[in-house]
Amino acid sequence: MKLKSILPISVLFLSQIYFAQETQKKETDKEKEIEAVTITKTKKAVEQKADRTIYDFSEQPHLNSGNTLEGLQKIPGLVVSEMAGMIYQGKALDVYMDGRPLNIYSTQLTAYLEGLPANSIEKIEIITQPGAEFPATSGGAIINIITSKNAKSYLSATYAGGYRFSNYDHYRSKFNNSLTLNSKNKWFGWQLNVGQNYNESETKSTIDEISRLYNDNVNRNQYLRSAFTFDIGKDRLLLNYNLSLGSSDRYVDRFELIKGIESTGKDIIDQSNTRNEVTATYQKKFDDKNKKLEFKGSYTNFSNDFGQTKMDFSPIPAFQENYLINGSSQDAYNFRVDYAQPIKVLDEGKLSLGAYYDQLEFSADLFGIENLDYKSKTTAFYSEASATKGKMDFVLGLRGEYYNINGTSLDFETQTYDKLRSFEKFKVFPNASIQYNIIPKIAFFNVNYNKKITLPNVANLNPNNTRYESENINFSGNPNLQPTIFDNFEIKLSALNYAFIGYNFTNTKNQVVQIVKREGDAISQTSDNLDRLKTHNFNIGFPIPLAVFNTPFKDIMKMDMNPDQVSFIFLYGSYQLQQIDQIINPKGYWTYNISGQFILPYKVKFNANYTYLTKGNEFFFYPNKSFYNTLNLSLSRKFNKDRMTLTLFANDVFNTNETNLRTTNALPNVYIRNKNDTRSFGLSFNYKIPTKNKLAKEAPNMLNQEKKEETSTTL
């Protein structure tokens, strides 16, 4: 078949997917009428909405076979960078879990996501256009990791486990286990999810040939997530408690070159953290399902302890000493109320109102002496109206937020406490969206604008080194960072859930960036504000069903194109250009992703995912080789009446993924190389323990309650 025929047939493929889903829904309704116990539901692998893209993890073995971080890295357009954080289609992501901000960052966030098995994730929402109902501090975009399952009217259980290994200088094991129990009765419902993760890994780091480090890492994580829901008349009360315990041991072989003298030694790093979270939600029910009143309050505590001991071998052997001991603790309180009701405007409309209060208290200490006390308070009110006229949808919102940020930091040289640069302001954040439904439910075109802000995160504020320190390497934060302001613009054309083309532009003030400098044989890294940054991002995604190459057109017309049952290739590409005043000739970079799904005999599903980033500026870093270059493969099959899913997988098959870059902010350039043991092989499986109760019916989600509107999630 000629290549020019692929485009129209791909469009037909999208249409067939849509009508297949609609037909299946009607058939399901029919089944309900004939036999009440037979309920069939097909989840969409990818679902695009006007303000977000949703990726289903629960039924996608190639995404949920490893840990959560590995699953996220397989999403087209999502890049996890050691220097720049988590970025999706050119936008920095604020990380939420079950509708609430995690408030952990940098290496601590990476460790947390690596310790969370991907098979405990229900779905991922990437909200590229957060409206007025979302905190203005969400910045450019939000990634919401939803871990909830469905509670049922009988005791049900699901076990998930996995094992993988890497084999570089020696064999390393990585495994995880989790168990989910849930039930409900006429008084209340409950759910309990417990799990653990164990991960052995290695990292090799080189900086300017004056520092070479070999890290042997052992990470452990245990977690508990619980939920209770109580029906109070027509209303509902939800209570959640989550606990996460993490620990990491690192054994570092060190080589240093200081003033021409070589030094070798061994360091031991012991790091542990604890996260507690309590949430209460009260939902008022109305006869009109489009009307809503909800109250939500939560408290989160996250504490971290870091210790580093060192022993020198040469040039002069030394005794083991406590080289670095520090810790931090943060408490976050927030409360919000949301109200929504239909309004008579144009064909139909809705008005949303709400208020929000958030308070963050963060303290850090070095060798037991407090050297940072940071407090942030945010009070907000919002109003957002949406309306429909014919094929046009309109959204207009306004959010006002008042900030009060202050604190003190210790100057060890003068032994005095200095006040931080305070930030006490009231700011207004508008958002607007216009969508034209070219073909209702099939194709639409939208234009979006929003203004957002990001407050400095505690990882960038913390003056202590919570990574690694030696005679010539130092990592530290900057307590005087200022908030970052974003103006986000986007236009996008989408067809169903699989094809899209878009462009977004972000004008940023006070962007927080990592600054690496070398003075003599000393390398330092800290955070600073960048005056201005403009980011352009163009992206496109398109599926190609393999049937177009070997099936006559008339037969394709007859096919039931359920995306979970056909073989196809998904192509994704994006181009990003960052314009910074300090860089005269900035170079953009391309991201290419090819994802393939192939249905093999005996209902075996083969998935392949390849991502490659070309060279280009990323803030003040320029790669010596690709920022990201990896191929991931998986084979999966369902057994025992689809109750068990077994997956075999291989990550970074050709061992090509590494960080290899140079700095561009100052001379001399600093060359940095980090290589992790990203090539790994393993298996994972999920097993839904069967029940004899055939009259069971699904009840609402408990660990995360979504809004009644299909396009929005309660935060």
Side-chain angles (χ1 to χ4, degrees):
M1 180 174 290
K2 295 182 179 180
L3 186 61
K4 66 181 181 180
S5 301
I6 293 178
L7 182 60
I9 294 180
S10 296
V11 174
L12 174 65
F13 168 69
L14 294 172
S15 302
Q16 290 280 12
I17 290 175
Y18 171 72
F19 288 116
Q21 291 168 343
E22 289 296 301
T23 302
Q24 189 163 6
K25 187 182 295 184
K26 293 178 181 178
E27 290 174 351
T28 301
D29 293 340
K30 186 175 180 181
E31 287 176 348
K32 289 180 181 178
E33 294 174 4
I34 298 174
E35 187 179 2
V37 297
T38 304
I39 301 176
T40 305
K41 184 178 181 181
T42 300
K43 294 183 178 180
K44 297 179 180 178
V46 182
E47 189 172 1
Q48 283 194 28
K49 297 182 180 295
D51 66 338
R52 72 192 64 193
T53 303
I54 302 170
Y55 294 89
D56 174 51
F57 264 52
S58 63
E59 301 296 331
Q60 305 299 314
H62 69 288
L63 295 179
N64 65 32
S65 55
N67 62 54
T68 299
L69 185 64
E70 291 172 337
L72 294 177
Q73 290 174 328
K74 296 174 186 178
I75 294 177
L78 195 152
V79 177
V80 180
S81 167
E82 293 182 11
M83 301 298 180
M86 199 174 295
I87 298 173
Y88 181 75
Q89 296 181 1
K91 295 183 177 181
L93 294 173
D94 198 12
V95 182
Y96 283 56
M97 180 164 286
D98 291 331
R100 297 175 292 276
L102 272 177
N103 287 323
I104 52 177
Y105 308 91
S106 188
T107 54
Q108 294 175 1
L109 175 62
T110 300
Y112 182 81
L113 295 178
E114 285 180 334
L116 186 65
N119 52 29
S120 68
I121 304 302
E122 180 76 7
K123 60 184 177 181
I124 300 292
E125 292 183 326
I126 301 181
I127 306 167
T128 53
Q129 292 296 328
E133 64 178 301
F134 297 93
T137 51
S138 57
I142 294 170
I143 181 168
N144 186 24
I145 303 170
I146 298 175
T147 62
S148 61
K149 304 291 182 182
N150 285 333
K152 298 184 178 181
S153 58
Y154 60 98
L155 179 63
S156 67
T158 301
Y159 171 77
Y163 175 82
R164 57 198 175 96
F165 68 89
S166 62
N167 192 4
Y168 283 66
D169 65 314
H170 68 266
Y171 192 91
R172 290 180 171 84
S173 297
K174 314 161 194 283
F175 59 84
N176 62 270
N177 296 276
S178 68
L179 179 67
T180 301
L181 302 172
N182 55 43
S183 181
K184 69 182 294 292
N185 53 44
K186 61 181 180 180
W187 297 288
F188 68 94
W190 62 272
Q191 181 175 24
L192 180 67
N193 176 225
V194 294
Q196 61 82 222
N197 181 79
Y198 177 85
N199 184 9
E200 298 175 352
S201 63
E202 73 162 35
T203 303
K204 294 180 179 179
S205 303
T206 302
I207 302 179
D208 269 1
E209 297 301 330
I210 64 171
S211 173
R212 293 199 299 271
L213 305 174
Y214 173 77
N215 296 262
D216 201 353
N217 312 315
V218 178
N219 299 310
R220 304 172 185 86
N221 182 268
Q222 300 87 35
Y223 64 91
L224 176 150
R225 306 182 68 82
S226 62
F228 298 88
T229 179
F230 302 88
D231 292 325
I232 305 174
K234 292 183 178 180
D235 302 339
R236 178 174 294 153
L237 174 66
L238 298 100
L239 302 176
N240 298 75
Y241 172 69
N242 302 323
L243 170 67
S244 175
L245 303 172
S247 64
S248 173
D249 298 320
R250 292 167 54 194
Y251 305 91
V252 184
D253 292 323
R254 161 176 43 89
F255 167 85
E256 299 171 307
L257 185 64
I258 304 175
K259 296 180 180 180
I261 300 176
E262 294 184 358
S263 172
T264 61
K266 181 180 287 290
D267 301 313
I268 301 175
I269 295 175
D270 181 14
Q271 190 167 12
S272 62
N273 59 73
T274 303
R275 177 183 171 86
N276 286 278
E277 182 180 49
V278 180
T279 304
T281 305
Y282 186 84
Q283 297 174 330
K284 178 69 177 176
K285 300 296 181 180
F286 299 94
D287 293 333
D288 185 348
K289 293 185 178 181
N290 293 316
K291 195 173 181 179
K292 168 198 167 180
L293 178 61
E294 181 175 280
F295 303 88
K296 176 178 285 189
S298 69
Y299 164 73
T300 304
N301 172 266
F302 181 80
S303 60
N304 182 73
D305 293 304
F306 179 91
Q308 178 182 335
T309 59
K310 63 175 294 188
M311 176 179 287
D312 294 329
F313 294 155
S314 68
I316 301 175
F319 293 104
Q320 183 170 298
E321 62 175 333
N322 291 329
Y323 190 70
L324 201 62
I325 298 176
N326 61 56
S328 64
S329 177
Q330 76 174 32
D331 295 288
Y333 311 82
N334 66 68
F335 174 80
R336 64 177 299 154
V337 55
D338 297 282
Y339 175 77
Q341 72 167 40
I343 55 175
K344 295 182 179 180
V345 57
L346 302 180
D347 293 342
E348 61 177 320
K350 184 185 73 171
L351 177 65
S352 300
L353 303 169
Y356 176 80
Y357 175 79
D358 179 83
Q359 180 175 321
L360 176 67
E361 299 175 355
F362 178 81
S363 62
D365 63 84
L366 180 63
F367 288 102
I369 300 174
E370 184 177 83
N371 59 341
L372 177 65
D373 181 21
Y374 173 87
K375 292 182 175 63
S376 169
K377 297 179 182 179
T378 304
T379 305
F381 301 91
Y382 77 86
S383 175
E384 187 172 74
S386 60
T388 299
K389 179 64 176 178
K391 291 187 176 182
M392 301 291 292
D393 295 330
F394 306 92
V395 176
L396 184 63
L398 199 64
R399 187 179 183 96
E401 296 198 346
Y402 172 74
Y403 307 100
N404 185 356
I405 301 174
N406 57 73
T408 58
S409 64
L410 176 62
D411 187 329
F412 276 97
E413 292 184 2
T414 62
Q415 291 297 305
T416 59
Y417 283 90
D418 300 325
K419 289 186 177 181
L420 304 180
R421 291 172 60 189
S422 62
F423 185 82
E424 190 171 354
K425 289 184 179 180
F426 175 79
K427 298 188 73 67
V428 176
F429 301 91
N431 69 282
S433 176
I434 300 176
Q435 177 170 304
Y436 176 62
N437 300 295
I438 303 170
I439 305 176
K441 296 185 179 181
I442 295 181
F444 58 86
F445 174 78
N446 63 58
V447 180
N448 298 283
Y449 165 75
N450 64 58
K451 190 179 189 71
K452 296 292 181 180
I453 188 173
T454 294
L455 304 181
N457 68 61
V458 293
N460 290 329
L461 292 168
N462 192 345
N464 297 327
N465 186 337
T466 59
R467 299 184 187 180
Y468 175 81
E469 186 171 307
S470 65
E471 295 294 332
N472 57 1
I473 295 179
N474 180 62
F475 300 100
S476 63
N478 180 359
N480 286 298
L481 292 174
Q482 292 295 286
T484 304
I485 307 294
F486 300 89
D487 284 289
N488 302 304
F489 305 84
E490 182 179 62
I491 58 174
K492 191 173 186 179
L493 175 66
S494 300
L496 284 177
N497 304 312
Y498 295 88
F500 61 88
I501 181 171
Y503 166 78
N504 61 69
F505 168 74
T506 300
N507 187 26
T508 309
K509 181 181 179 182
N510 287 336
Q511 173 69 52
V512 175
V513 296
Q514 300 299 307
I515 302 294
V516 179
K517 293 183 179 180
R518 176 175 177 176
E519 295 181 3
D521 289 335
I523 305 291
S524 64
Q525 176 178 317
T526 188
S527 302
D528 204 352
N529 286 115
L530 186 64
D531 214 19
R532 292 285 181 182
L533 170 68
K534 296 180 180 179
T535 304
H536 305 263
N537 187 272
F538 166 81
N539 54 86
I540 184 171
F542 208 87
I544 301 176
L546 298 189
V548 304
F549 297 103
N550 56 14
T551 305
F553 184 80
K554 63 179 181 179
D555 293 335
I556 292 179
M557 291 289 292
K558 301 176 183 178
M559 293 178 65
D560 179 5
M561 294 290 192
N562 186 327
D564 196 45
Q565 300 173 358
V566 300
S567 300
F568 67 91
I569 295 174
F570 184 80
L571 304 178
Y572 170 84
S574 72
Y575 176 77
Q576 177 173 306
L577 175 66
Q578 294 181 341
Q579 294 177 314
I580 302 173
D581 292 340
Q582 292 87 334
I583 299 179
I584 298 175
N585 295 311
K587 295 182 179 179
Y589 62 85
W590 285 91
T591 301
Y592 303 107
N593 177 269
I594 302 176
S595 303
Q597 174 178 282
F598 309 91
I599 307 301
L600 305 181
Y602 303 104
K603 297 183 179 180
V604 175
K605 186 185 294 184
F606 173 61
N607 288 89
N609 186 296
Y610 177 68
T611 302
Y612 180 82
L613 274 68
T614 64
K615 296 181 180 180
N617 290 101
E618 181 66 34
F619 297 135
F620 287 127
F621 302 97
Y622 191 85
N624 301 313
K625 59 187 299 185
S626 168
F627 263 124
Y628 193 80
N629 178 16
T630 186
L631 172 65
N632 303 308
L633 306 174
S634 70
L635 285 169
S636 61
R637 191 186 189 282
K638 292 185 177 182
F639 300 90
N640 193 13
K641 298 180 180 179
D642 292 345
R643 282 194 289 262
M644 185 175 77
T645 301
L646 178 65
T647 304
L648 303 176
F649 61 91
N651 294 329
D652 193 16
V653 175
F654 297 115
N655 197 27
T656 50
N657 196 26
E658 69 173 67
T659 299
N660 192 326
L661 49 84
R662 61 179 172 87
T663 63
T664 60
N665 55 284
L667 294 176
N669 298 147
V670 179
Y671 289 82
I672 302 171
R673 179 181 182 270
N674 292 321
K675 181 67 180 85
N676 299 325
D677 58 342
T678 49
R679 180 167 59 185
S680 63
F681 306 89
L683 60 88
S684 69
F685 58 93
N686 287 23
Y687 182 61
K688 300 174 183 177
I689 300 173
T691 177
K692 295 181 179 180
N693 190 335
K694 296 182 179 180
L695 298 178
K697 295 182 180 180
E698 289 189 354
N701 283 351
M702 293 173 59
L703 289 186
N704 178 75
Q705 281 291 327
E706 295 190 355
K707 291 185 178 179
K708 295 181 184 302
E709 302 89 58
E710 188 182 15
T711 61
S712 184
T713 300
T714 300
L715 295 185

